């Protein structure tokens, strides 16, 4: 499932980058930085990207997943640092919601 | 001309600090002596360009060594000054008009360009009064409920005088807010009055700020809760050495307990202090109960406060003389100002700030007026109707979201994309809706007012 989520994030990123036009997102992979001191997008862009992603997740998994909330903010490492960390975080949320 | 002399103290101070570093910007360091010389040079240029004492001067610039030299040269002359940092032409024009501005300074790599501006409006009694008394003024703008920015006028002599008795210090402060914000000016005035150093960032990006803190060993960081959260999220605090920090102040929006405790955990040796101020009253001197507490006490000899229906009211010796284009409805006859901030009174005189009364959307400390965004959205042909509101967002505090009713012939389109692309070219980025929802209709009240309940 993680591979599927990563792919979904990457596709969302490629689409979103049509507006963002950030060269760092030309060919994103699981290591690509989202919001991090080592590159990525700014906070306002991140908010828009997460909104897009939540919509895609709702379509793909038929579940309303909230990504930007107090819980995400309180993680030891921010899930928004990279594609991979975000995929891990989403996978956890999806697994939890199945329990 | 006695008033002119009363202004001299600040220039004496600036001169007396000599070779101490006053300002760091774009990797250049400028001493107080160099600042003195720059003020003199600016003075000459103002004279050459026939900028007279009675004129209202707009400075179209963010903080820079040059723009500050002109600011103080104009203050020396007793001008009324308005720093303007917006970059969209329409917004600039609005401010020039609403502020009765008749001279404009524009900065580029070639230096300063001084031009006339013909305001639609001729003059105003507040401006005339300041001119008659030979006093300097400061015009700041805040978002008005009708869409036009509210132009408020401070007596700049009076405002700066409150910094007069500050004792010399050698601190290094970072100025995070823009030139047209009372909070940033407060940091700047403090630095000038105490002989401290200000570090001016070129970008307000969390990583960039942390880099500057490391490089210039910054001691004081005035910030907002959202901004501090961005530092934590980006892990920039891990990448850079921030051990020089001694005080972090936060204000402009309510601080959540959970964020404060995360900040305290990361910056365990730093004192965390909440500040409180309004553009109308100036910045109050406040004391936080502790670094772990969001409770504050207003203990400022220049400011009285009271709580009316949960709303904080202030009466300050540094409050504005009035608005140039707005009624004094938020001030009582006897000078009390209704801040629009809801507070809870705790024991021992401590207060807790709960939130804003108005509907203004606060995106990371920057204010967004729904009406302004709505008016841009309505320019898009695919949109029939819309409503803009704030939604709670863990990253930026609030995010702008838009409800949209599509035009009849607009089917099967990616409206989110269209909206963002259009808004990006017509609004500041932080005002662009991050989420677009298509709805059947927009709710109106019986008085044809949009019902704008913020989404949680």
């Amino acid at each position: 499932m993680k591979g599927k989520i990563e792919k979904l994030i990457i596709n969302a990123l490629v689409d979103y980058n049509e507006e963002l036009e950030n060269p760092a997102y030309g060919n994103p992979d699981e290591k690509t930085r989202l919001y991090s001191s080592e590159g990525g997008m700014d906070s306002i862009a991140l908010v828009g990207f997460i909104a897009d992603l939540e919509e895609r997740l709702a379509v793909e998994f038929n579940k309303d997943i909230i990504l930007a909330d107090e819980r995400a903010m309180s993680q030891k490492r921010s899930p928004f640092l990279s594609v991979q960390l975000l995929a891990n975080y989403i996978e956890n949320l999806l697994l939890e919601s199945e329990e | 001309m006695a008033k002119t002399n009363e202004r001299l103290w600040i220039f004496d101070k600036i001169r007396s600090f000599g070779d101490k570093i006053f300002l760091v910007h774009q990797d250049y360091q400028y001493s107080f002596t160099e600042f003195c010389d720059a003020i003199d040079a600016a003075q000459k240029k103002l004279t050459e360009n026939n900028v007279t004492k009675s004129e209202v001067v707009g400075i179209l610039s963010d903080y820079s060594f040059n723009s500050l030299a002109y600011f103080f040269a104009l203050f020396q002359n007793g001008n009324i000054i308005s720093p303007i940092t917006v970059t969209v032409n329409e917004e600039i024009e609005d401010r020039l008009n609403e502020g009765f501005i008749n001279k404009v300074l524009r900065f580029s790599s070639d230096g300063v360009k001084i031009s006339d501006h013909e305001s639609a409006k001729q003059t105003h009694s507040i401006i005339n009064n300041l001119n008659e008394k030979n006093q300097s003024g400061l015009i700041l703008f805040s978002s008005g409920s009708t869409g036009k920015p509210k132009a408020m006028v401070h007596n700049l002599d009076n405002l700066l005088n409150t910094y007069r008795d500050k004792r010399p210090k050698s601190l290094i402060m970072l100025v995070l807010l823009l030139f047209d914000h009372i909070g940033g000016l407060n940091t700047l005035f403090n630095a000038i009055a105490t002989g401290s150093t200000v570090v001016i960032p070129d970008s307000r990006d969390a990583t960039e700020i942390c880099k500057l803190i490391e490089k210039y060993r910054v001691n004081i960081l005035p910030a907002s809760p959202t901004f501090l959260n961005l530092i934590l999220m980006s892990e920039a605090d891990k990448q850079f050495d921030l051990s020089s920090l001694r005080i972090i102040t936060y204000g402009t929006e309510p601080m959540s307990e959970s964020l404060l405790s995360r900040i305290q955990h990361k910056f365990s040796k730093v004192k965390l202090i909440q500040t409180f101020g309004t553009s109308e009253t100036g910045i109050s001197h406040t004391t936080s109960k502790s670094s772990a507490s969001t409770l504050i006490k207003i203990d400022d000899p220049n400011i009285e406060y009271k709580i009316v229906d949960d709303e904080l009211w202030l009466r300050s010796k540094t409050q504005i003389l009035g608005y140039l284009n707005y009624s004094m409805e938020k001030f009582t006859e006897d000078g009390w100002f209704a801040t629009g901030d809801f507070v809870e009174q705790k024991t021992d005189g401590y207060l807790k700030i709960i939130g804003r009364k108005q509907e203004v959307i606060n995106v990371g400390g920057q204010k967004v007026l729904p009406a302004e965004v709505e008016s841009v959205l309505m320019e898009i042909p695919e949109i029939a109707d819309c409503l803009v509101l704030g939604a709670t967002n863990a990253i930026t505090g609030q995010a702008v979201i838009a409800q949209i009713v599509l035009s009849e012939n607009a089917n099967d389109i990616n409206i989110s994309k269209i909206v963002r692309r259009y808004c990006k070219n017509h609004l500041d980025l932080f005002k662009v809706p991050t989420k677009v929802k298509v709805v059947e209709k927009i709710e109106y009240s019986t008085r044809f007012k949009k019902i704008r309940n913020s989404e949680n």
Side-chain angles (χ1 to χ4, degrees):
Chain A
M1 180 157 74
K2 208 176 119 192
K4 195 174 165 189
I5 300 169
E6 271 176 8
K7 213 165 153 195
L8 186 137
I9 298 174
I10 289 169
N11 286 340
L13 192 54
V14 170
D15 270 6
Y16 193 61
N17 199 41
E18 281 179 25
E19 296 155 48
L20 220 52
E21 295 168 354
N22 183 340
Y25 296 137
N27 197 6
D29 58 25
E30 76 276 7
K31 291 206 177 61
T32 299
R33 293 278 162 174
L34 295 174
Y35 187 86
S36 143
S37 64
E38 286 156 50
M41 53 183 100
D42 66 26
S43 59
I44 308 278
L46 179 65
V47 172
F49 176 63
I50 288 171
D52 275 10
L53 200 55
E54 284 170 346
E55 262 172 49
R56 281 170 192 248
L57 287 167
V59 173
E60 185 71 29
F61 296 99
N62 202 19
K63 265 180 198 137
D64 281 327
I65 298 281
I66 308 284
L67 293 176
D69 61 9
E70 202 52 41
R71 177 169 168 192
M73 297 300 123
S74 323
Q75 299 290 308
K76 228 172 159 184
R77 294 198 80 191
S78 160
F80 307 119
L81 281 169
S82 70
V83 171
Q84 199 168 30
L85 286 167
L86 186 54
N88 289 345
Y89 185 68
I90 292 171
E91 188 184 32
N92 267 334
L93 292 181
L94 287 169
L95 288 174
E96 265 181 32
S97 69
E98 269 167 29
E99 278 167 9
Chain B
M1 293 291 160
K3 291 291 174 197
T4 317
N5 293 329
E6 278 177 29
R7 213 170 280 141
L8 280 177
W9 66 270
I10 197 154
F11 299 97
D12 290 342
K13 273 199 185 205
I14 294 171
R15 201 166 297 115
S16 74
F17 295 129
D19 289 337
K20 281 179 89 174
I21 299 297
F22 160 54
L23 181 135
V24 181
H25 185 216
Q26 294 174 335
D27 277 339
Y28 284 96
Q29 303 194 22
Y30 306 89
S31 69
F32 278 92
T33 303
E34 284 172 287
F35 190 50
C36 259
D37 295 344
I39 294 172
D40 291 344
Q43 204 59 269
K44 230 173 120 187
K45 187 99 183 179
L46 291 173
T47 313
E48 280 168 20
N49 283 273
N50 305 316
V51 179
T52 58
K53 282 178 180 188
S54 58
E55 286 182 295
V56 184
V57 184
I59 302 181
L60 298 192
S61 171
D62 196 359
Y63 287 113
S64 72
F65 181 66
N66 252 326
S67 63
L68 282 171
Y70 276 89
F71 183 92
F72 279 91
L74 289 163
F75 171 64
Q76 202 165 38
N77 293 348
N79 282 97
I80 298 168
I81 314 161
S82 184
I84 295 172
T85 61
V86 292
T87 49
V88 177
N89 274 334
E90 249 172 68
E91 294 186 30
I92 293 173
E93 197 53 36
D94 268 352
R95 281 162 175 75
L96 296 181
N97 286 326
E98 300 303 312
F100 293 77
I101 288 165
N102 36 31
K103 278 275 179 357
V104 181
L105 310 187
R106 287 183 173 82
F107 295 85
S108 70
S109 47
D110 305 330
V112 65
K113 210 181 128 235
I114 302 177
S115 53
D116 290 315
H117 176 262
E118 286 217 10
S119 268
K121 305 172 183 179
Q122 286 311 306
T123 188
H124 192 285
S125 59
I126 297 176
I127 293 172
N128 292 340
N129 276 339
L130 277 170
N131 280 335
E132 272 164 31
K133 287 194 256 167
N134 195 21
Q135 294 208 305
S136 177
L138 172 70
I139 300 179
L140 298 176
F141 293 93
S142 78
S143 355
S145 54
T146 53
K148 288 271 183 231
K150 282 196 257 177
M152 51 188 106
V153 190
H154 279 277
N155 179 324
L156 189 55
D157 283 273
N158 187 16
L159 188 64
L160 272 166
N161 264 328
T162 59
Y163 298 85
R164 188 170 183 159
D165 297 329
K166 300 247 177 203
R167 281 193 304 254
K169 284 184 189 130
S170 293
L171 292 165
I172 302 168
M173 316 174 178
L174 197 132
V175 181
L176 191 63
L177 292 158
L178 301 178
F179 199 2
D180 57 0
H181 193 287
I182 189 82
L185 289 169
N186 177 54
T187 309
L188 173 80
F189 295 157
N190 253 314
I192 289 189
T194 59
S196 290
T197 304
V198 284
V199 177
I200 307 289
D202 242 1
S203 129
R204 269 82 180 175
D205 172 76
T207 308
E208 195 54 38
I209 297 298
C210 289
K211 202 190 252 174
L212 286 177
I213 294 173
E214 175 183 280
K215 188 166 183 188
Y216 296 107
R217 308 296 300 153
V218 170
N219 310 125
I220 302 184
L221 174 66
S224 68
T226 296
F227 185 78
L228 295 170
N229 191 33
L230 293 178
I231 291 184
L232 299 189
M233 278 177 66
S234 66
E235 296 191 347
D237 58 307
K238 285 187 187 165
Q239 203 188 334
F240 298 100
D241 173 10
L242 308 184
S243 61
S244 59
L245 277 180
R246 279 153 55 182
I247 297 173
I248 293 176
T249 65
Y250 57 90
T252 73
E253 56 183 349
M255 169 65 100
S256 79
E257 307 279 344
S258 68
L259 176 58
L260 184 62
S261 92
R262 289 205 298 280
I263 296 164
Q264 214 201 352
H265 183 75
K266 288 270 180 182
F267 298 99
S268 54
K269 293 196 175 118
V270 178
K271 207 169 161 192
L272 303 173
I273 302 173
Q274 186 169 193
T275 55
F276 186 82
T278 70
S279 306
E280 276 86 354
T281 56
I283 306 297
S284 323
H285 187 274
T286 51
T287 313
S288 281
K289 193 168 186 183
S290 74
S291 286
S293 171
T294 57
L295 300 185
I296 57 164
K297 218 178 231 183
I298 297 175
D299 47 8
D300 191 321
N302 292 318
I303 291 177
E304 299 165 86
Y305 78 90
K306 64 180 177 184
I307 297 162
V308 180
D309 294 336
D310 296 329
E311 186 182 5
L312 182 65
W313 286 35
L314 296 176
R315 186 158 67 179
S316 143
K317 286 185 184 153
T318 55
Q319 65 199 17
I320 55 167
L321 303 166
Y323 302 95
L324 297 177
N325 59 350
Y326 203 75
S327 79
M328 290 293 275
E329 64 188 21
K330 285 191 176 158
F331 285 88
T332 63
E333 286 281 313
D334 50 351
W336 285 95
F337 173 64
T339 62
D341 283 288
F342 282 133
V343 293
E344 271 172 25
Q345 185 139 34
K346 305 285 185 184
T347 47
D348 303 332
Y350 283 102
L351 303 174
K352 187 179 169 67
I353 293 162
I354 306 297
R356 292 293 293 164
K357 197 177 169 182
Q358 300 147 284
E359 60 185 16
V360 172
I361 307 167
N362 193 331
V363 179
Q366 291 184 287
K367 294 194 170 75
V368 181
L369 222 70
E372 184 193 355
V373 182
E374 283 167 5
S375 74
V376 169
L377 288 176
M378 291 310 286
E379 292 168 9
I380 302 174
E382 287 85 352
I383 294 177
D385 200 357
C386 68
L387 175 80
V388 167
L389 58 158
T392 305
N393 184 282
I395 297 165
T396 48
Q398 278 193 304
V400 179
I401 67 168
Q403 293 180 0
I404 277 165
V405 180
L406 290 176
S407 308
E408 267 177 47
N409 47 6
N411 290 313
D412 257 337
I413 50 164
N414 188 339
I415 190 68
S416 304
K417 213 160 233 183
I418 293 170
V419 164
R420 281 203 211 132
R421 203 162 279 172
Y422 187 83
C423 290
K424 235 175 82 174
N425 295 321
H426 294 84
L427 287 166
D428 288 322
L429 276 181
F430 65 88
K431 296 176 182 167
V432 177
T434 53
K435 199 169 184 174
V436 178
K437 245 192 217 171
V438 177
V439 295
E440 289 296 321
K441 62 171 179 131
I442 303 294
E443 300 293 331
Y444 288 93
S445 75
T446 48
R447 296 168 77 187
F448 297 99
K449 228 179 141 179
K450 284 176 179 172
I451 301 171
R452 205 190 313 275
N453 294 320
S454 287
E455 283 201 0
N456 287 306

